[in-house]
Amino acid sequence: MTYEGENLVDGKPVNAGTYKAVLTIQGTGNYTGTIVVKSEEYLISRKAIERKDITLDVPTGDNAIYNKEAKEATVTLNEKLLKDIDATVTITYEGENLTDGKAIEVGDYIAVATVKGIGNYIGEVSIEKEFSITKSKVTVGIDNKTSIYGDEIVTLTSSVTEGTVVEGDDLGISLSTTATSTSDVGTYAITGTSANANYAVTFVDGTYEITARAVKVTIDNKTSAYGDELVTLTSAVTEGTVVDGD
């Protein structure tokens, strides 16, 4: 028995297509002659792609934490299906924070996988799955500062003490304190905020200490005659300066 058809594999009708079976009978012994019988054409039809043939996986857990890289879904096909031979796979994404069609920024997304049959398979199946890119956690320690009463407030500074900031990213940190150049001597809090929505920033507050301003006051010597009223006592700052208005 042999077969005719365009899609034979090693002479056998394996793939989808149209075929004929060819039976050849050749006489031997007491018989001579050859008879060739061909069947009617028969069709091996293309198999429809089914939902059960497809598994869509999306990033979760540590794989879904923001790192400035696109988070990609993956499609696994039934072991009988070969990608690009039996089916084509296309994955697209939906979401408000897409970057050139990719899921990079923190936010909620939907991965949409479309599998289209080719070769021995026919049909198209689309499935979708939701996933979220979560914020990267960092801790920022705010440096303690000090200045003398009446002097300008010094520049406030901080640094990342836990976690990692992706190269090129800016946390958008703003630091503030209630202390001013004329605040009374004492300790004040330094706090911070971050404007980068891709990071969950925990601040370890710092303190701002206003210290006393050193001045030297010399008291003037005075004299008066016995029985006279005491003259006015006076003094003057001889070292250091007094803040305007004090």
Side-chain angles (χ1 to χ4, degrees), residues 148-196:
I148 297 171
Y149 171 78
D151 289 352
E152 292 295 324
I153 296 297
V154 299
T155 301
L156 305 179
T157 57
S158 63
S159 60
V160 175
T161 56
E162 292 182 21
T164 302
V165 178
V166 179
E167 184 176 354
D169 277 357
D170 184 351
L171 291 179
I173 290 176
S174 296
L175 303 176
S176 62
T177 179
T178 55
T180 67
S181 62
T182 56
S183 292
D184 291 335
V185 169
T187 301
Y188 302 83
I190 307 174
T191 58
T193 59
S194 171
N196 192 323

Side-chain angles (χ1 to χ4, degrees), residues 191-211:
T191 58
T193 59
S194 171
N196 192 323
N198 290 317
Y199 292 85
V201 182
T202 299
F203 287 93
V204 178
D205 293 346
T207 57
Y208 198 107
E209 184 180 9
I210 302 292
T211 59

Side-chain angles (χ1 to χ4, degrees), residues 233-246:
L233 304 178
T234 59
S235 63
V237 174
T238 54
E239 290 183 18
T241 56
V242 176
V243 176
D244 287 344
D246 282 357

Side-chain angles (χ1 to χ4, degrees), residues 30-220:
N30 294 324
Y31 294 89
T32 63
T34 300
I35 297 175
V36 178
V37 179
K38 293 186 178 183
S39 71
E40 296 291 329
E41 284 189 342
Y42 66 94
L43 175 68
I44 297 179
S45 60
R46 298 170 69 189
K47 180 176 174 60
I49 293 285
E50 298 182 77
R51 171 65 181 81
K52 66 181 182 179
D53 295 325
I54 308 162
T55 301
L56 175 62
D57 294 308
V58 295
T60 59
D62 290 345
N63 293 325
I65 297 174
Y66 168 82
N67 63 358
K68 210 174 183 177
E69 296 179 1
K71 304 301 180 186
E72 297 182 345
T74 57
V75 168
T76 303
L77 300 177
N78 181 305
E79 61 182 8
K80 294 181 180 180
L81 291 174
L82 298 177
K83 186 178 178 181
D84 298 327
I85 294 177
D86 295 320
T88 60
V89 177
T90 303
I91 301 176
T92 58
Y93 301 91
E94 299 174 359
E96 294 182 355
N97 295 330
L98 289 175
T99 303
D100 296 329
K102 298 179 180 180
I104 297 176
E105 308 290 329
V106 167
D108 298 322
Y109 299 92
I110 300 174
V112 181
T114 301
V115 179
K116 185 175 182 180
I118 57 177
N120 291 320
Y121 290 82
I122 193 171
E124 182 175 300
V125 175
S126 291
I127 59 176
E128 62 182 45
K129 186 175 287 188
E130 297 179 353
F131 69 100
S132 298
I133 296 179
T134 57
K135 295 185 177 186
S136 179
K137 296 180 180 180
V138 295
T139 299
V140 172
I142 301 175
D143 303 322
N144 296 327
K145 298 291 180 178
T146 184
S147 63
I148 297 171
Y149 171 78
D151 289 352
E152 292 295 324
I153 296 297
V154 299
T155 301
L156 305 179
T157 57
S158 63
S159 60
V160 175
T161 56
E162 292 182 21
T164 302
V165 178
V166 179
E167 184 176 354
D169 277 357
D170 184 351
L171 291 179
I173 290 176
S174 296
L175 303 176
S176 62
T177 179
T178 55
T180 67
S181 62
T182 56
S183 292
D184 291 335
V185 169
T187 301
Y188 302 83
I190 307 174
T191 58
T193 59
S194 171
N196 192 323
N198 290 317
Y199 292 85
V201 182
T202 299
F203 287 93
V204 178
D205 293 346
T207 57
Y208 198 107
E209 184 180 9
I210 302 292
T211 59
R213 190 175 192 85
V215 295
K216 181 177 180 181
V217 175
T218 300
I219 301 173
D220 303 323

